[in-house]
Every structure is written in C-alpha cells, then in structure tokens.
Amino acid sequence: SQQGEEDPQALSIQEGENATMNCSYKTSINNLQWYRQNSGRGLVHLILIRSNEREKHSGRLRVTLDTSKKSSSLLITASRAADTASYFCATPGETSGSRLTFGEGTQLTVNP
Amino acid sequence: DTGVSQNPRHKITKRGQNVTFRCDPISEHNRLYWYRQTLGQGPEFLTYFQNEAQLEKSRLLSDRFSAERPKGSFSTLEIQRTEQGDSAMYLCASSRQRYEQYFGPGTRLTVT
C-alpha cells in the first residue's frame, strides 16, 4: 500500500511559473525524500529532508516538512519545460529504514 | 561515475514463460533494491540486499519471484510462470548509505 499521497495528481503550468506539489503520509518518519521521473527514464533523487528540519533548499527547489500534519510540499520556482515529469515523495518503511514507500505522484507539465 | 544499469530494457514474453532481469549497481554501493512500478503508480518495494544478503522481501514477492545477488555485486530478478499481472516496469536501485537511492532506467516487462 502507498504511504504517501501526492496532491494534485496532475498540474499544468506555463514556463516561468512556480509549481507546488504536496505530499501527505501516515506514519512517523525520520526523513522524507522527493524524486523526479521523466518519461521513459528512471527516478532521480531530488532532495531529502530530515524530520528535525522544517525547510530545505536546493537550487530552484524548496521543500517543507510539517511532521505535526504529516505533510510535505515541493516548490519548483521559475519552472522550465525540462521540469515536465512525475514527482514522487517517498518515506522510509516503518520497520525498515531501507525500503522506500512512494506516493502515487504528481504529473507536472510545464508548457513553453 | 557510471550509474545503475539494467538489462534488458524491454522484455516481451508469453504467459507461463520464465524471465530474468539483471541489475548492475553503482560499484561502491553495498545496498541494492528492486521495485515494481505499474502505469500511473509510484514504485512498490519488492526486495533489498545488503552485500549478498537478502535482508527484506515484500509480500508482493510471491513464490514465483526470486532475487539473488551473488558476491554482492550484480543482482538478478527471476519471475517464473509469468502472468499478465506481472506486466510492469521493474526498477533497480542502489545506495551506499541508508537513504538516498540511485535508480536504474528499469526493465519494462510485457506478458502477452
């Protein structure tokens, strides 16, 4: 079963706009990760935020984590057509920190 | 730095046949993972190795599935007596530390 749920399922924006995706999860975690998957390619790790962090930046990416609400958000600023992809949040398993449990993903389309 | 490689990239097989996939992880990574992904869903964990030891298996991994990692290097995933429900993308990932995983491009299996 999926641990995380992303919202929205699909998002279409114009180049230059910001894109925000949300993830909710069910159990206690010690970190949350975001991955990107382009069509026909494997998943690429974007960013990891630990449970004691509230916000983290990497380039045009900003991730927030609210452990009290069991939710996270991924903001992509100044989007580009190349950002078109599916974005997944992933959390370590309850009994094993090694397995990742992914949400269903948000399909982002950035129109030129 | 070569990434995770998987072979074959695509496999079409008839129901009832056996198939085997190979994953070559990043060389210094001691952890290796297999996931399965169906269309529109996030990846689902199948199994995990640390070196040559298979430490965790998902309930998704029925007795028709077997994975090995001899000598702690490459890994193989075999599906016996394939069923149409086995059609999916099979993803391999590796990691050196516990959390950030590097994914291969996947093997797309179609069972006819």
Side-chain angles (χ1 to χ4, degrees):
Chain A
S1 64
Q2 303 289 337
Q3 152 87 305
E5 294 183 0
E6 281 92 344
D7 169 54
Q9 288 188 331
L11 180 61
S12 181
I13 59 174
Q14 296 300 122
E15 216 166 18
E17 294 180 340
N18 297 341
T20 300
M21 288 158 270
N22 302 297
C23 166
S24 60
Y25 57 92
K26 298 174 185 174
T27 61
S28 297
I29 58 171
N30 54 25
N31 73 80
L32 184 143
Q33 303 172 47
W34 285 89
Y35 285 80
R36 179 185 69 213
Q37 186 175 39
N38 297 96
S39 176
R41 297 182 61 181
L43 285 106
V44 174
H45 182 272
L46 293 177
I47 195 165
L48 180 151
I49 185 166
R50 302 189 187 279
S51 59
N52 61 354
E53 297 175 310
R54 291 295 169 259
E55 188 171 308
K56 197 165 184 179
H57 297 254
S58 176
R60 294 183 295 112
L61 306 180
R62 180 172 77 102
V63 169
T64 62
L65 180 64
D66 186 336
T67 53
S68 66
K69 295 181 179 177
K70 292 187 168 57
S71 68
S72 174
S73 68
L74 171 67
L75 168 68
I76 304 174
T77 60
S79 63
R80 305 166 182 169
D83 294 328
T84 295
S86 292
Y87 291 82
F88 297 91
C89 66
T91 54
E94 286 182 82
T95 55
S96 163
S98 296
R99 70 159 67 187
L100 289 177
T101 302
F102 287 82
E104 294 185 352
T106 292
Q107 172 61 50
L108 173 67
T109 302
V110 181
N111 301 300
Chain B
D1 177 27
T2 57
V4 177
S5 62
Q6 292 186 247
N7 288 290
R9 294 291 306 276
H10 303 274
K11 179 71 177 179
I12 300 173
T13 191
K14 293 185 178 180
R15 189 175 54 185
Q17 297 294 304
N18 299 344
V19 293
T20 300
F21 310 139
R22 176 177 171 128
C23 170
D24 287 89
I26 294 172
S27 58
E28 64 267 29
H29 288 182
N30 63 343
R31 296 167 185 256
L32 187 148
Y33 313 80
W34 285 98
Y35 293 84
R36 182 173 69 186
Q37 185 178 25
T38 54
L39 198 62
Q41 301 293 314
E44 293 179 295
F45 172 82
L46 293 178
T47 190
Y48 149 63
F49 291 84
Q50 184 164 328
N51 299 313
E52 66 274 12
Q54 188 173 20
L55 297 186
E56 191 173 355
K57 290 195 294 186
S58 163
R59 282 174 290 180
L60 292 174
L61 215 65
S62 74
D63 56 5
R64 297 185 297 106
F65 288 69
S66 63
E68 293 182 343
R69 193 184 182 197
K71 303 178 183 178
S73 55
F74 71 92
S75 176
T76 58
L77 177 68
E78 180 183 17
I79 308 174
Q80 296 182 328
R81 305 181 302 283
T82 53
E83 302 172 356
Q84 286 189 320
D86 297 332
S87 294
M89 178 76 84
Y90 289 84
L91 297 168
C92 176
S94 69
S95 71
R96 182 167 50 195
Q97 297 181 6
R98 194 173 184 183
Y99 297 126
E100 182 177 329
Q101 296 181 19
Y102 294 81
F103 282 80
T107 294
R108 182 169 296 283
L109 173 66
T110 302
V111 181
T112 62

